[in-house]
Amino acid sequence: SKWVNKWKNYKSLPKNQGNKEKFYVLAMFPYPSGMLHMGHVIHPMGWDAFGLPAENAAMERNEVTTCNPDYYKWTQYLFLQMYKARLAYQKEAIVNWDPVDQTVLANEQVDSDGRSWRSGAKVERRKLKQWFFKITDFAEPLLNDLDLLDKWPDHVKQMQRNWIGKSKGAEFDFIAESKRSEFIVKVFTSRPDTIFGVQYLAISIDHPLLSEEWLPQNTCSQVLQFVEKIRQQQLFDLNDVNTGQ
């Protein structure tokens, strides 16, 4: 009833007058990969049909197509422009992998049992080579322009600042040695004045140093078992965040 009343009041407002230019606001496309819902009715202009989950849903429901070449050619065109501008690149990163849909999942797409919210498959954490956009090249203007958003709530702008994550400090190189080679570990700190008090370095469980090549033989197996335990715990912690626990 709230929105019905708002819509009635809106329709009673004076029509566009004068020389004001008309415009059309395009909302985010709804997805066709789930069951039919209100979003498909409210957004009749089209839908977001990209990605393997959408393709799998199309095959499951005997849909003819998930998108048309005359549409996705522009997505390809935009990607090529980003690539030519050196704003698109590939690297390996840890992802949430759905072994059934054969696709990467966002954290929010993993349920409280560590399963894909679409396929129900047990989600795996694996390293995958994938495409990235260099949004970090625009971190400074994005950060500065938050001050121009005078209508945004302060707590939302602070969340954006934290997400951009600007930090001032210095980088240092530490050298890890084995019998066969050396490995340079680059470390960032916001307190370079404390560098002479360093007692140890803490590395990610996905760091290349955590391998049989670099770990001492007498503790290698124990360390790798611990790494796998932490990897599983991370997935459970992720589920707790997603479910608000």
Side-chain angles (χ1 to χ4, degrees), residues 30-46:
Y31 291 94
S33 52
M35 301 302 293
L36 187 67
H37 57 78
M38 185 61 73
H40 297 90
V41 180
I42 295 177
H43 300 265
M45 87 297 285

